[in-house]
Amino acid sequence: MSAKPPPRFNLLPILLGIVVFLVGAVWWKANQKHESVEDRERAAAEARRTREQEVTTKAAQQQLDEQRRAFDAKLEKEKSRTAYDKSVDALIQQQDKWVDAMKLAGNSPRASLAGPIARLQEVRRETAQLVLPECLSGARLYLVTGMDQTIDGFLSFLRNDPARKYDYYDLFAAGEKGVLAYQDAMKRCGMGSAPAGQPAERE
């Protein structure tokens, strides 16, 4: 009886398994690398979108801030202009009161001048007490100075001092010059320049 030969060890399945494992490992690694690249690209794209959104948001905020500042400046300018117009109206109103008081005083006999002179002095005080912007305040100095000289002229006329009989003529003339200087100063205020050479106001 002959002996059976020992069974041969088959390496083929093992080699195939190793090959399959290596192929799978290579594929998995390549796939992981591909996914890693995609993840980085997605992260980079997301970061770009975030930066772009921040830049857009910042630009929009800056535009809103500029619009708000422009609106505030316009509103402030309108408020300032309204206040200036009110000041002009107040000063012109005092000028009109002065003209009316002058008509009354000019048509009153010497013996009846005390009342009209008191009215002139009242209008003068009201005018001096107005709170005005710088340019109008400078113009007002001319007007008040002219008022003072005119009132002094009526007082001189009322006293009827023979030694200074014609002083009131000079005072009236000086008062008229003051009013004309005031009118010129008001025109300059309208052009945005303050009157020069302002006289000192007498309280």
Side-chain angles (χ1 to χ4, degrees), residues 73-175:
K74 182 179 179 181
L75 183 62
E76 189 63 28
K77 185 176 181 180
E78 289 176 353
K79 288 181 179 178
S80 177
R81 188 67 217 177
T82 300
Y84 184 86
D85 290 341
K86 288 182 178 179
S87 297
V88 171
D89 291 342
L91 191 53
I92 291 176
Q93 185 178 13
Q94 289 305 116
Q95 176 188 339
D96 292 341
K97 287 182 180 180
W98 176 258
V99 171
D100 292 340
M102 278 287 294
K103 289 178 180 178
L104 177 61
N107 289 314
S108 298
R110 179 178 285 137
S112 303
L113 272 177
I117 290 175
R119 175 56 181 161
L120 290 171
Q121 291 170 332
E122 179 184 6
V123 174
R124 186 266 178 208
R125 283 192 299 271
E126 291 175 355
T127 305
Q129 291 171 359
L130 290 176
V131 178
L132 302 171
E134 182 179 357
C135 186
L136 295 180
S137 180
R140 185 258 308 277
L141 290 176
Y142 289 109
L143 179 59
V144 171
T145 299
M147 289 177 173
D148 287 333
Q149 292 164 330
T150 301
I151 291 171
D152 289 344
F154 276 110
L155 290 173
S156 176
F157 179 75
L158 180 62
R159 285 192 296 268
N160 195 22
D161 185 355
R164 310 185 65 177
K165 186 173 181 180
Y166 298 107
D167 282 358
Y168 57 86
Y169 284 117
D170 294 335
L171 290 168
F172 286 148

